[in-house]
Amino acid sequence: MKIIETVHQFEYQCVQSPRPMGLVPTMGNLHKGHMSLIKHAQKDNASVAVSIFVNPNQFGSTEDFSTYPRNIKSDLDILKDANVDIVFIPSIQEMYPKGFAASIDVGLIATRLEGEFRPSHFNGVATVLCKLISMSRPNNIYLGQKDAQQCLVIKKLNDDLNLGTQVVILPTIRDDDGLAISSRNIHLSESQRKAAVILHESLHVAKNLWHDETKNIEHIKLQMCKVIHTQPLANIDYISIANVETLEELKHKLTPAIALGAIRIGHTRLIDNIIL
Ligand code: AMP
């Protein structure tokens, strides 16, 4: 496994790598969700690169950049055991040298839902992904459905800027009780961890009601809120039933649709979604 810290070396190694090559971009503190992406990438490609970079430009000034869980030593052990070919672990300085100024705005899709609560988040995501894709020119890039809006932003980035990779989106990996696995779950206390499953439960309620012909969308959203409110530790940022491609809020039951939610439990923010 090649561990690379500079852009120049990363570009060089990726050009040399057997093709097709898959890229799995991460912020580290690797878990089963990341590993599922890596395993799929290894099945589809002759070589796989994983990037680990906690990207400061996608965190707002009041968000958890400084406390975001980092565990580089254990991440490298995991990736070595998994036979990953290339790991890219750049410093902030390496990714954003003095004078760096570009910021990619992919338009409306980035302004909805997460975009309302985290206004510059997707500019940061799109910009760093554009850099990573430009450096490595992967044939395929692997993303998790857990971050549904991020997937749409990166698809749009790839299409609009002709980056020429294939975006592969893989299912959300969950704990036994249904909670979507996330690096941030580590911050939850025992009682908060128990409470966190309420988001997944509310999305299941939405899915069940969606198939009930008599219910309208407002009713479904009300029921989702009611479910979440049964858990006093949970605060809702948003719940949404939206068009699966545009994330435009639906007024009537049209397919394809997706239910999404974001809640806060203590200082930890959780997101999840379910295709209806
Ligand atoms: P992160 O390190 O949180 O930025 O995530 C890196 C990639 O892993 C993103 O494409 C995420 O959507 C994906 N991912 C994170 N958690 C999960 C999960 N539980 N299941 C599947 N993919 C995930």
Side-chain angles (χ1 to χ4, degrees), residues 69-110:
R70 293 160 170 89
N71 209 342
I72 196 69
K73 194 183 166 314
S74 128
D75 286 350
L76 291 176
D77 288 344
I78 290 170
L79 294 176
K80 194 159 177 243
D81 281 352
N83 280 322
V84 164
D85 302 280
I86 299 174
V87 186
F88 181 45
I89 42 169
S91 65
I92 294 174
Q93 184 59 30
E94 183 67 19
M95 288 296 272
Y96 303 117
K98 198 162 182 281
F100 182 90
S103 175
I104 297 176
D105 184 343
V106 298
L108 208 54
I109 189 82

mmCIF file of all heavy atoms in Angstrom, residues 69-110:
data_model
loop_
_atom_site.group_PDB
_atom_site.id
_atom_site.type_symbol
_atom_site.label_atom_id
_atom_site.label_comp_id
_atom_site.label_asym_id
_atom_site.label_seq_id
_atom_site.Cartn_x
_atom_site.Cartn_y
_atom_site.Cartn_z
ATOM 1 N N PRO A 69 -13.863 13.380 14.557
ATOM 2 C CA PRO A 69 -12.986 12.284 14.980
ATOM 3 C C PRO A 69 -11.908 11.940 13.950
ATOM 4 O O PRO A 69 -12.207 11.777 12.769
ATOM 5 C CB PRO A 69 -13.949 11.106 15.172
ATOM 6 C CG PRO A 69 -15.236 11.507 14.560
ATOM 7 C CD PRO A 69 -15.270 12.988 14.455
ATOM 8 N N ARG A 70 -10.685 11.892 14.421
ATOM 9 C CA ARG A 70 -9.552 11.557 13.539
ATOM 10 C C ARG A 70 -8.810 10.371 14.156
ATOM 11 O O ARG A 70 -8.578 10.349 15.361
ATOM 12 C CB ARG A 70 -8.595 12.746 13.419
ATOM 13 C CG ARG A 70 -9.193 13.954 12.675
ATOM 14 C CD ARG A 70 -8.408 15.198 13.020
ATOM 15 N NE ARG A 70 -8.745 16.349 12.188
ATOM 16 C CZ ARG A 70 -9.711 17.227 12.459
ATOM 17 N NH1 ARG A 70 -10.471 17.079 13.531
ATOM 18 N NH2 ARG A 70 -9.926 18.262 11.659
ATOM 19 N N ASN A 71 -8.397 9.437 13.317
ATOM 20 C CA ASN A 71 -7.758 8.230 13.827
ATOM 21 C C ASN A 71 -6.853 7.643 12.750
ATOM 22 O O ASN A 71 -7.033 6.509 12.315
ATOM 23 C CB ASN A 71 -8.857 7.230 14.201
ATOM 24 C CG ASN A 71 -8.408 6.333 15.306
ATOM 25 O OD1 ASN A 71 -7.211 6.224 15.564
ATOM 26 N ND2 ASN A 71 -9.361 5.682 15.953
ATOM 27 N N ILE A 72 -5.874 8.429 12.341
ATOM 28 C CA ILE A 72 -5.138 8.087 11.122
ATOM 29 C C ILE A 72 -4.358 6.778 11.255
ATOM 30 O O ILE A 72 -4.301 5.993 10.312
ATOM 31 C CB ILE A 72 -4.230 9.269 10.667
ATOM 32 C CG1 ILE A 72 -3.779 9.077 9.222
ATOM 33 C CG2 ILE A 72 -3.055 9.488 11.579
ATOM 34 C CD1 ILE A 72 -4.887 9.224 8.231
ATOM 35 N N LYS A 73 -3.822 6.524 12.458
ATOM 36 C CA LYS A 73 -3.001 5.318 12.602
ATOM 37 C C LYS A 73 -3.858 4.061 12.381
ATOM 38 O O LYS A 73 -3.497 3.179 11.612
ATOM 39 C CB LYS A 73 -2.344 5.304 13.989
ATOM 40 C CG LYS A 73 -1.248 4.277 14.069
ATOM 41 C CD LYS A 73 -0.610 4.153 15.422
ATOM 42 C CE LYS A 73 0.239 2.889 15.528
ATOM 43 N NZ LYS A 73 -0.389 1.684 15.021
ATOM 44 N N SER A 74 -4.996 4.037 13.068
ATOM 45 C CA SER A 74 -5.869 2.867 12.910
ATOM 46 C C SER A 74 -6.448 2.814 11.491
ATOM 47 O O SER A 74 -6.607 1.728 10.919
ATOM 48 C CB SER A 74 -6.935 2.893 14.002
ATOM 49 O OG SER A 74 -8.201 2.777 13.479
ATOM 50 N N ASP A 75 -6.739 3.969 10.896
ATOM 51 C CA ASP A 75 -7.230 3.971 9.501
ATOM 52 C C ASP A 75 -6.221 3.307 8.567
ATOM 53 O O ASP A 75 -6.588 2.490 7.711
ATOM 54 C CB ASP A 75 -7.479 5.405 9.010
ATOM 55 C CG ASP A 75 -8.722 6.037 9.615
ATOM 56 O OD1 ASP A 75 -9.501 5.306 10.262
ATOM 57 O OD2 ASP A 75 -8.914 7.258 9.448
ATOM 58 N N LEU A 76 -4.951 3.649 8.743
ATOM 59 C CA LEU A 76 -3.923 3.089 7.851
ATOM 60 C C LEU A 76 -3.796 1.575 8.056
ATOM 61 O O LEU A 76 -3.643 0.831 7.077
ATOM 62 C CB LEU A 76 -2.573 3.788 8.079
ATOM 63 C CG LEU A 76 -2.526 5.248 7.610
ATOM 64 C CD1 LEU A 76 -1.178 5.885 7.956
ATOM 65 C CD2 LEU A 76 -2.799 5.379 6.113
ATOM 66 N N ASP A 77 -3.920 1.122 9.296
ATOM 67 C CA ASP A 77 -3.885 -0.333 9.558
ATOM 68 C C ASP A 77 -5.042 -1.028 8.839
ATOM 69 O O ASP A 77 -4.872 -2.068 8.207
ATOM 70 C CB ASP A 77 -3.995 -0.612 11.068
ATOM 71 C CG ASP A 77 -2.712 -0.228 11.796
ATOM 72 O OD1 ASP A 77 -1.681 -0.045 11.114
ATOM 73 O OD2 ASP A 77 -2.753 -0.086 13.034
ATOM 74 N N ILE A 78 -6.226 -0.421 8.956
ATOM 75 C CA ILE A 78 -7.422 -1.009 8.327
ATOM 76 C C ILE A 78 -7.241 -1.087 6.810
ATOM 77 O O ILE A 78 -7.541 -2.100 6.177
ATOM 78 C CB ILE A 78 -8.674 -0.159 8.685
ATOM 79 C CG1 ILE A 78 -9.019 -0.316 10.166
ATOM 80 C CG2 ILE A 78 -9.865 -0.526 7.814
ATOM 81 C CD1 ILE A 78 -10.071 0.654 10.664
ATOM 82 N N LEU A 79 -6.729 -0.011 6.230
ATOM 83 C CA LEU A 79 -6.597 0.034 4.764
ATOM 84 C C LEU A 79 -5.518 -0.934 4.278
ATOM 85 O O LEU A 79 -5.647 -1.527 3.211
ATOM 86 C CB LEU A 79 -6.297 1.472 4.312
ATOM 87 C CG LEU A 79 -7.442 2.454 4.576
ATOM 88 C CD1 LEU A 79 -7.037 3.875 4.201
ATOM 89 C CD2 LEU A 79 -8.702 2.057 3.807
ATOM 90 N N LYS A 80 -4.481 -1.088 5.085
ATOM 91 C CA LYS A 80 -3.411 -2.038 4.730
ATOM 92 C C LYS A 80 -3.980 -3.457 4.750
ATOM 93 O O LYS A 80 -3.787 -4.222 3.808
ATOM 94 C CB LYS A 80 -2.265 -1.893 5.728
ATOM 95 C CG LYS A 80 -1.021 -2.557 5.272
ATOM 96 C CD LYS A 80 0.209 -2.006 5.982
ATOM 97 C CE LYS A 80 1.422 -2.783 5.527
ATOM 98 N NZ LYS A 80 2.060 -3.509 6.621
ATOM 99 N N ASP A 81 -4.717 -3.769 5.819
ATOM 100 C CA ASP A 81 -5.347 -5.102 5.907
ATOM 101 C C ASP A 81 -6.296 -5.344 4.740
ATOM 102 O O ASP A 81 -6.473 -6.478 4.304
ATOM 103 C CB ASP A 81 -6.177 -5.223 7.200
ATOM 104 C CG ASP A 81 -5.284 -5.486 8.394
ATOM 105 O OD1 ASP A 81 -4.075 -5.715 8.181
ATOM 106 O OD2 ASP A 81 -5.784 -5.438 9.543
ATOM 107 N N ALA A 82 -6.936 -4.292 4.282
ATOM 108 C CA ALA A 82 -7.918 -4.426 3.193
ATOM 109 C C ALA A 82 -7.251 -4.449 1.816
ATOM 110 O O ALA A 82 -7.938 -4.524 0.797
ATOM 111 C CB ALA A 82 -8.925 -3.282 3.264
ATOM 112 N N ASN A 83 -5.912 -4.366 1.787
ATOM 113 C CA ASN A 83 -5.169 -4.400 0.519
ATOM 114 C C ASN A 83 -5.499 -3.249 -0.428
ATOM 115 O O ASN A 83 -5.561 -3.440 -1.651
ATOM 116 C CB ASN A 83 -5.419 -5.713 -0.226
ATOM 117 C CG ASN A 83 -4.574 -6.818 0.325
ATOM 118 O OD1 ASN A 83 -3.411 -6.576 0.686
ATOM 119 N ND2 ASN A 83 -5.156 -7.988 0.464
ATOM 120 N N VAL A 84 -5.726 -2.092 0.136
ATOM 121 C CA VAL A 84 -5.937 -0.904 -0.698
ATOM 122 C C VAL A 84 -4.595 -0.537 -1.338
ATOM 123 O O VAL A 84 -3.540 -0.708 -0.733
ATOM 124 C CB VAL A 84 -6.493 0.239 0.191
ATOM 125 C CG1 VAL A 84 -6.374 1.583 -0.479
ATOM 126 C CG2 VAL A 84 -7.944 -0.059 0.539
ATOM 127 N N ASP A 85 -4.644 -0.070 -2.591
ATOM 128 C CA ASP A 85 -3.393 0.188 -3.314
ATOM 129 C C ASP A 85 -2.747 1.524 -2.932
ATOM 130 O O ASP A 85 -1.542 1.598 -2.738
ATOM 131 C CB ASP A 85 -3.671 0.181 -4.825
ATOM 132 C CG ASP A 85 -4.276 -1.137 -5.239
ATOM 133 O OD1 ASP A 85 -3.515 -2.098 -5.394
ATOM 134 O OD2 ASP A 85 -5.521 -1.221 -5.345
ATOM 135 N N ILE A 86 -3.591 2.572 -2.855
ATOM 136 C CA ILE A 86 -3.053 3.921 -2.614
ATOM 137 C C ILE A 86 -3.891 4.599 -1.532
ATOM 138 O O ILE A 86 -5.125 4.546 -1.573
ATOM 139 C CB ILE A 86 -3.150 4.785 -3.897
ATOM 140 C CG1 ILE A 86 -2.331 4.160 -5.032
ATOM 141 C CG2 ILE A 86 -2.708 6.217 -3.638
ATOM 142 C CD1 ILE A 86 -2.508 4.879 -6.375
ATOM 143 N N VAL A 87 -3.214 5.228 -0.579
ATOM 144 C CA VAL A 87 -3.921 6.082 0.389
ATOM 145 C C VAL A 87 -3.349 7.489 0.253
ATOM 146 O O VAL A 87 -2.131 7.677 0.300
ATOM 147 C CB VAL A 87 -3.696 5.620 1.844
ATOM 148 C CG1 VAL A 87 -4.576 6.442 2.769
ATOM 149 C CG2 VAL A 87 -4.011 4.161 2.006
ATOM 150 N N PHE A 88 -4.237 8.444 0.084
ATOM 151 C CA PHE A 88 -3.809 9.843 -0.052
ATOM 152 C C PHE A 88 -4.212 10.579 1.217
ATOM 153 O O PHE A 88 -5.403 10.661 1.542
ATOM 154 C CB PHE A 88 -4.493 10.449 -1.281
ATOM 155 C CG PHE A 88 -4.122 11.878 -1.553
ATOM 156 C CD1 PHE A 88 -2.800 12.308 -1.493
ATOM 157 C CD2 PHE A 88 -5.101 12.809 -1.905
ATOM 158 C CE1 PHE A 88 -2.458 13.631 -1.755
ATOM 159 C CE2 PHE A 88 -4.769 14.126 -2.174
ATOM 160 C CZ PHE A 88 -3.452 14.538 -2.101
ATOM 161 N N ILE A 89 -3.213 11.075 1.959
ATOM 162 C CA ILE A 89 -3.491 11.783 3.219
ATOM 163 C C ILE A 89 -2.796 13.158 3.195
ATOM 164 O O ILE A 89 -1.769 13.346 3.860
ATOM 165 C CB ILE A 89 -3.066 10.969 4.466
ATOM 166 C CG1 ILE A 89 -1.703 10.285 4.264
ATOM 167 C CG2 ILE A 89 -4.104 9.922 4.828
ATOM 168 C CD1 ILE A 89 -1.138 9.692 5.555
ATOM 169 N N PRO A 90 -3.353 14.073 2.421
ATOM 170 C CA PRO A 90 -2.698 15.374 2.294
ATOM 171 C C PRO A 90 -2.909 16.237 3.537
ATOM 172 O O PRO A 90 -3.891 16.063 4.264
ATOM 173 C CB PRO A 90 -3.428 16.000 1.100
ATOM 174 C CG PRO A 90 -4.805 15.419 1.171
ATOM 175 C CD PRO A 90 -4.635 14.018 1.705
ATOM 176 N N SER A 91 -2.014 17.197 3.753
ATOM 177 C CA SER A 91 -2.232 18.215 4.788
ATOM 178 C C SER A 91 -3.172 19.286 4.204
ATOM 179 O O SER A 91 -3.396 19.344 2.985
ATOM 180 C CB SER A 91 -0.899 18.859 5.170
ATOM 181 O OG SER A 91 -0.399 19.565 4.042
ATOM 182 N N ILE A 92 -3.652 20.144 5.081
ATOM 183 C CA ILE A 92 -4.494 21.255 4.621
ATOM 184 C C ILE A 92 -3.684 22.153 3.686
ATOM 185 O O ILE A 92 -4.157 22.575 2.623
ATOM 186 C CB ILE A 92 -5.032 22.057 5.825
ATOM 187 C CG1 ILE A 92 -5.993 21.175 6.629
ATOM 188 C CG2 ILE A 92 -5.730 23.346 5.374
ATOM 189 C CD1 ILE A 92 -6.493 21.794 7.916
ATOM 190 N N GLN A 93 -2.437 22.397 4.069
ATOM 191 C CA GLN A 93 -1.543 23.250 3.272
ATOM 192 C C GLN A 93 -1.329 22.678 1.866
ATOM 193 O O GLN A 93 -1.263 23.402 0.877
ATOM 194 C CB GLN A 93 -0.215 23.380 4.034
ATOM 195 C CG GLN A 93 0.804 24.310 3.418
ATOM 196 C CD GLN A 93 0.276 25.723 3.292
ATOM 197 O OE1 GLN A 93 -0.556 26.163 4.088
ATOM 198 N NE2 GLN A 93 0.735 26.433 2.255
ATOM 199 N N GLU A 94 -1.236 21.348 1.802
ATOM 200 C CA GLU A 94 -1.010 20.701 0.507
ATOM 201 C C GLU A 94 -2.246 20.861 -0.401
ATOM 202 O O GLU A 94 -2.115 21.072 -1.592
ATOM 203 C CB GLU A 94 -0.720 19.209 0.750
ATOM 204 C CG GLU A 94 -0.387 18.407 -0.480
ATOM 205 C CD GLU A 94 0.950 18.793 -1.126
ATOM 206 O OE1 GLU A 94 1.798 19.415 -0.460
ATOM 207 O OE2 GLU A 94 1.123 18.471 -2.328
ATOM 208 N N MET A 95 -3.431 20.760 0.207
ATOM 209 C CA MET A 95 -4.661 20.880 -0.595
ATOM 210 C C MET A 95 -4.988 22.335 -0.905
ATOM 211 O O MET A 95 -5.518 22.649 -1.963
ATOM 212 C CB MET A 95 -5.839 20.244 0.160
ATOM 213 C CG MET A 95 -5.779 18.731 0.209
ATOM 214 S SD MET A 95 -5.897 17.977 -1.422
ATOM 215 C CE MET A 95 -7.667 17.818 -1.606
ATOM 216 N N TYR A 96 -4.706 23.210 0.053
ATOM 217 C CA TYR A 96 -5.048 24.628 -0.130
ATOM 218 C C TYR A 96 -3.811 25.489 0.126
ATOM 219 O O TYR A 96 -3.692 26.127 1.180
ATOM 220 C CB TYR A 96 -6.173 25.028 0.832
ATOM 221 C CG TYR A 96 -7.427 24.191 0.682
ATOM 222 C CD1 TYR A 96 -7.891 23.403 1.727
ATOM 223 C CD2 TYR A 96 -8.144 24.186 -0.525
ATOM 224 C CE1 TYR A 96 -9.032 22.632 1.596
ATOM 225 C CE2 TYR A 96 -9.285 23.404 -0.662
ATOM 226 C CZ TYR A 96 -9.727 22.638 0.391
ATOM 227 O OH TYR A 96 -10.849 21.873 0.257
ATOM 228 N N PRO A 97 -2.887 25.483 -0.842
ATOM 229 C CA PRO A 97 -1.682 26.296 -0.634
ATOM 230 C C PRO A 97 -2.038 27.781 -0.580
ATOM 231 O O PRO A 97 -3.140 28.174 -0.989
ATOM 232 C CB PRO A 97 -0.822 25.989 -1.862
ATOM 233 C CG PRO A 97 -1.685 25.251 -2.812
ATOM 234 C CD PRO A 97 -2.905 24.772 -2.126
ATOM 235 N N LYS A 98 -1.136 28.569 -0.070
ATOM 236 C CA LYS A 98 -1.344 30.010 0.068
ATOM 237 C C LYS A 98 -1.876 30.586 -1.254
ATOM 238 O O LYS A 98 -1.343 30.278 -2.326
ATOM 239 C CB LYS A 98 -0.003 30.665 0.409
ATOM 240 C CG LYS A 98 -0.097 32.036 0.998
ATOM 241 C CD LYS A 98 1.213 32.393 1.705
ATOM 242 C CE LYS A 98 1.121 33.749 2.346
ATOM 243 N NZ LYS A 98 1.292 34.864 1.400
ATOM 244 N N GLY A 99 -2.933 31.361 -1.170
ATOM 245 C CA GLY A 99 -3.470 31.977 -2.378
ATOM 246 C C GLY A 99 -4.591 31.180 -3.019
ATOM 247 O O GLY A 99 -5.241 31.650 -3.956
ATOM 248 N N PHE A 100 -4.843 29.979 -2.524
ATOM 249 C CA PHE A 100 -5.931 29.168 -3.091
ATOM 250 C C PHE A 100 -7.245 29.939 -2.973
ATOM 251 O O PHE A 100 -7.575 30.456 -1.903
ATOM 252 C CB PHE A 100 -6.053 27.831 -2.340
ATOM 253 C CG PHE A 100 -7.121 26.949 -2.930
ATOM 254 C CD1 PHE A 100 -6.822 26.047 -3.936
ATOM 255 C CD2 PHE A 100 -8.440 27.052 -2.501
ATOM 256 C CE1 PHE A 100 -7.811 25.256 -4.503
ATOM 257 C CE2 PHE A 100 -9.437 26.272 -3.067
ATOM 258 C CZ PHE A 100 -9.121 25.372 -4.065
ATOM 259 N N ALA A 101 -8.014 30.001 -4.071
ATOM 260 C CA ALA A 101 -9.206 30.846 -4.030
ATOM 261 C C ALA A 101 -10.442 30.234 -4.672
ATOM 262 O O ALA A 101 -11.542 30.758 -4.504
ATOM 263 C CB ALA A 101 -8.893 32.177 -4.707
ATOM 264 N N ALA A 102 -10.310 29.135 -5.389
ATOM 265 C CA ALA A 102 -11.453 28.612 -6.155
ATOM 266 C C ALA A 102 -12.549 28.077 -5.231
ATOM 267 O O ALA A 102 -12.282 27.600 -4.125
ATOM 268 C CB ALA A 102 -10.983 27.494 -7.079
ATOM 269 N N SER A 103 -13.784 28.199 -5.684
ATOM 270 C CA SER A 103 -14.901 27.604 -4.952
ATOM 271 C C SER A 103 -15.967 27.240 -5.974
ATOM 272 O O SER A 103 -16.394 28.086 -6.753
ATOM 273 C CB SER A 103 -15.454 28.608 -3.944
ATOM 274 O OG SER A 103 -16.600 28.062 -3.331
ATOM 275 N N ILE A 104 -16.375 25.987 -5.972
ATOM 276 C CA ILE A 104 -17.323 25.518 -6.992
ATOM 277 C C ILE A 104 -18.733 25.495 -6.423
ATOM 278 O O ILE A 104 -18.992 24.887 -5.385
ATOM 279 C CB ILE A 104 -16.920 24.130 -7.502
ATOM 280 C CG1 ILE A 104 -15.558 24.239 -8.180
ATOM 281 C CG2 ILE A 104 -17.966 23.584 -8.465
ATOM 282 C CD1 ILE A 104 -14.995 22.941 -8.650
ATOM 283 N N ASP A 105 -19.628 26.166 -7.149
ATOM 284 C CA ASP A 105 -21.033 26.247 -6.753
ATOM 285 C C ASP A 105 -21.830 25.451 -7.781
ATOM 286 O O ASP A 105 -21.834 25.804 -8.961
ATOM 287 C CB ASP A 105 -21.441 27.732 -6.759
ATOM 288 C CG ASP A 105 -22.860 27.928 -6.268
ATOM 289 O OD1 ASP A 105 -23.623 26.942 -6.234
ATOM 290 O OD2 ASP A 105 -23.200 29.070 -5.934
ATOM 291 N N VAL A 106 -22.493 24.384 -7.345
ATOM 292 C CA VAL A 106 -23.231 23.568 -8.315
ATOM 293 C C VAL A 106 -24.703 23.971 -8.412
ATOM 294 O O VAL A 106 -25.488 23.269 -9.037
ATOM 295 C CB VAL A 106 -23.095 22.049 -8.041
ATOM 296 C CG1 VAL A 106 -21.656 21.595 -8.144
ATOM 297 C CG2 VAL A 106 -23.701 21.674 -6.713
ATOM 298 N N GLY A 107 -25.070 25.091 -7.820
ATOM 299 C CA GLY A 107 -26.414 25.632 -8.025
ATOM 300 C C GLY A 107 -27.444 25.130 -7.027
ATOM 301 O O GLY A 107 -27.126 24.755 -5.896
ATOM 302 N N LEU A 108 -28.689 25.123 -7.511
ATOM 303 C CA LEU A 108 -29.861 24.934 -6.651
ATOM 304 C C LEU A 108 -29.805 23.702 -5.746
ATOM 305 O O LEU A 108 -30.182 23.770 -4.573
ATOM 306 C CB LEU A 108 -31.086 24.837 -7.571
ATOM 307 C CG LEU A 108 -32.421 25.288 -7.011
ATOM 308 C CD1 LEU A 108 -32.322 26.711 -6.474
ATOM 309 C CD2 LEU A 108 -33.495 25.195 -8.097
ATOM 310 N N ILE A 109 -29.329 22.599 -6.286
ATOM 311 C CA ILE A 109 -29.340 21.340 -5.519
ATOM 312 C C ILE A 109 -28.572 21.490 -4.197
ATOM 313 O O ILE A 109 -28.900 20.858 -3.200
ATOM 314 C CB ILE A 109 -28.758 20.167 -6.371
ATOM 315 C CG1 ILE A 109 -28.950 18.820 -5.697
ATOM 316 C CG2 ILE A 109 -27.288 20.338 -6.692
ATOM 317 C CD1 ILE A 109 -30.286 18.224 -5.884
ATOM 318 N N ALA A 110 -27.586 22.390 -4.205
ATOM 319 C CA ALA A 110 -26.747 22.568 -3.007
ATOM 320 C C ALA A 110 -27.366 23.522 -1.991
ATOM 321 O O ALA A 110 -26.874 23.651 -0.870
ATOM 322 C CB ALA A 110 -25.382 23.093 -3.435
#
